[in-house]
């Protein structure tokens, strides 16, 4: 490809920053912020070889940017990553139902014209989208950058048995209640729950916790690295998920991961009793998850993944 691609990167901020960093490092792309769509020069994006890459379903707002949906150009690249697929599957009512019906009609029409490309962040999301008549190719997102993540240190004491990432505002969705049941049954083991949406833990909430449960508010990357390295297991007890970045990070730090999905070098949570009965054996037989570390580095490292990511976009754009 000799011609430079102009591409707007929008959507979920965390993932958007990741993708923009990858594309900015490649001279084949010239990236822009979504704010350009609100300016007079937005007409510039209706002509020529230009693209909008939107991370987290549905793409740009239908009401604000209707002109992007009624034309073939610019081509929209939508990357579905998890909860967005679940939301699309849920029944809608009232205005939300009307919006969804209009969006789906324009979505399918733009897709038929060749103006829409869909990626899904995990293989199971590809299947879920197919059930909604949305054709998507599997393309993972990753933050595993060996130059940025702290190197693992074998001398760090493993004083946390089970670590989990549980937003306070979605406590049950992320299995917080089920993890507490595990902690209550196995009181000899330490559980650390990190709440990324809290700056401090409410006192009344902490007072309800079993004595072997530690609560933490949001932590920075350096502290998170320390927490991983102090832990033996990472628990991802979600009701629905994409390819969780926290799972990849936990594997990178050689934790054994308990997850509600089938994934290489992890332990699948089939149900509460099954995983609860495994706890003593898991603790007794624990050793660093070297196979999980190798798998992540070989398949999801940013450096190794970057070319695959860009080539996947280019191959789809040529179709």
């Amino acid at each position: 490809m000799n011609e430079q691609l102009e591409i707007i990167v929008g959507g979920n901020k965390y993932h958007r920053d990741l993708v923009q960093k990858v594309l900015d490092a490649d001279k084949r792309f010239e990236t822009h912020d979504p704010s350009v769509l609100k300016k007079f020069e937005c007409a510039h994006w209706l002509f020529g070889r230009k693209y909008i890459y939107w991370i987290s379903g549905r793409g740009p707002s239908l009401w604000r940017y209707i002109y992007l949906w009624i034309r073939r150009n610019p081509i929209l690249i939508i990357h579905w990553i998890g909860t967005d697929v679940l939301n699309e599957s849920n029944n809608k009512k009232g205005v939300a139902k009307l919006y969804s019906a209009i969006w789906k009609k324009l979505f399918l029409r733009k897709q038929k014209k060749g103006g829409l490309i869909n990626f899904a962040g995990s293989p199971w999301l590809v299947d879920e989208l197919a059930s909604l008549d949305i054709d998507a190719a599997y393309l993972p997102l990753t933050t595993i950058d060996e130059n940025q993540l702290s190197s693992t240190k074998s001398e760090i004491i493993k004083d946390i048995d089970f670590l989990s990432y549980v937003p306070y505002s979605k406590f049950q969705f992320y299995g917080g209640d089920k993890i507490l049941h595990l902690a209550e049954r196995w009181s000899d083991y330490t559980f650390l729950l990190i709440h990324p949406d809290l700056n401090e833990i409410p006192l009344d909430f902490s007072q309800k916790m079993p004595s072997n449960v530690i609560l933490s508010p949001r932590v920075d990357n350096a502290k998170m690295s320390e927490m991983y390295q102090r832990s033996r297991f990472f628990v991802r007890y979600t009701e629905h998920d994409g390819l969780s970045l926290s799972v990849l990070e936990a594997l990178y730090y050689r934790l054994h991961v308990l997850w509600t999905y089938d994934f290489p070098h992890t332990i699948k949570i089939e149900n509460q009793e099954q995983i609860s009965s495994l706890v003593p054996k898991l603790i007794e037989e624990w050793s660093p998850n070297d196979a999980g570390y190798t798998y992540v580095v070989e398949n999801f490292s940013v450096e190794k993944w970057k070319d695959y990511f860009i080539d996947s976009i280019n191959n789809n754009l040529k179709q």
Side-chain angles (χ1 to χ4, degrees), residues 119-131 134-139:
F119 290 131
S122 72
W124 54 88
L125 291 180
V126 172
D127 296 335
E128 291 179 34
L129 287 168
S131 70
I134 297 174
D135 295 325
Y138 169 47
L139 182 65

Side-chain angles (χ1 to χ4, degrees), residues 11-250:
N12 177 281
K13 184 180 186 306
Y14 179 78
H15 296 87
R16 181 185 74 207
D17 291 347
L18 165 68
V19 169
Q20 190 148 6
K21 182 179 178 181
V22 171
L23 297 182
D24 282 344
D26 191 291
K27 295 180 180 179
R28 293 172 291 181
F29 293 89
E30 177 186 330
T31 67
H32 299 265
D33 187 87
S35 60
V36 300
L37 294 174
K38 300 178 182 179
K39 298 179 180 179
F40 177 76
E41 61 265 27
C42 65
H44 166 75
W45 290 88
L46 301 179
F47 306 96
R49 196 177 185 192
K50 300 176 181 69
Y51 307 88
I52 298 177
Y53 185 75
W54 210 265
I55 301 104
S56 190
R58 286 209 168 183
S61 167
L62 192 63
W63 303 140
R64 292 181 182 178
Y65 308 112
I66 185 65
Y67 60 90
L68 300 177
W69 289 98
I70 61 177
R71 297 172 51 92
R72 179 184 183 276
N73 290 324
I75 293 176
L76 296 182
I77 308 168
I78 298 180
H79 207 142
W80 302 80
I81 57 177
T83 304
D84 48 0
V85 180
L86 179 63
N87 291 339
E88 200 57 40
S89 304
N90 292 337
N91 292 327
K92 311 290 191 307
K93 296 181 179 180
V95 175
K97 184 176 181 180
L98 175 63
Y99 180 96
S100 185
I102 296 172
W103 172 84
K104 190 66 176 287
K105 184 174 182 179
L106 293 175
F107 178 95
L108 294 175
R109 188 173 74 171
K110 190 172 179 74
Q111 183 172 262
K112 186 176 181 180
K113 290 180 178 180
L116 183 63
I117 296 168
N118 290 286
F119 290 131
S122 72
W124 54 88
L125 291 180
V126 172
D127 296 335
E128 291 179 34
L129 287 168
S131 70
L132 300 171
D133 299 321
I134 297 174
D135 295 325
Y138 169 47
L139 182 65
L141 289 172
T142 180
T143 55
I144 304 301
D145 187 343
E146 293 184 90
N147 296 318
Q148 297 294 325
L149 293 173
S150 301
S151 58
T152 55
K153 301 174 182 178
S154 58
E155 68 273 13
I156 292 181
I157 297 174
K158 303 291 184 182
D159 59 345
I160 301 167
D161 295 304
F162 297 93
L163 170 67
S164 192
Y165 204 69
V166 183
Y168 178 78
S169 60
K170 296 183 178 180
F171 194 78
Q172 289 191 328
F173 183 85
Y174 279 81
D177 53 335
K178 297 181 176 67
I179 295 172
L180 291 184
H181 287 314
L182 291 178
E184 290 169 349
R185 179 171 177 180
W186 302 108
S187 57
D188 289 341
Y189 306 127
T190 302
F191 291 73
L192 171 60
L193 306 186
I194 296 180
H195 303 292
D197 53 346
L198 293 180
N199 290 319
E200 61 180 68
I201 303 297
L203 181 60
D204 61 337
F205 182 61
S206 63
Q207 289 175 337
K208 298 176 183 177
M209 296 296 112
S211 59
N212 60 325
V213 174
I214 303 168
L215 304 180
S216 170
R218 178 190 298 113
V219 297
D220 60 23
N221 291 337
K223 188 66 174 178
M224 192 68 217
S225 172
E226 176 193 326
M227 297 300 189
Y228 280 129
Q229 295 185 71
R230 288 171 54 192
S231 304
R232 292 184 173 88
F233 297 90
F234 183 79
V235 184
R236 183 78 176 180
Y237 216 141
T238 45
E239 294 181 6
H240 184 274
D241 224 337
L243 181 50
S244 167
L245 299 175
S246 60
V247 166
L248 298 181
E249 290 177 353

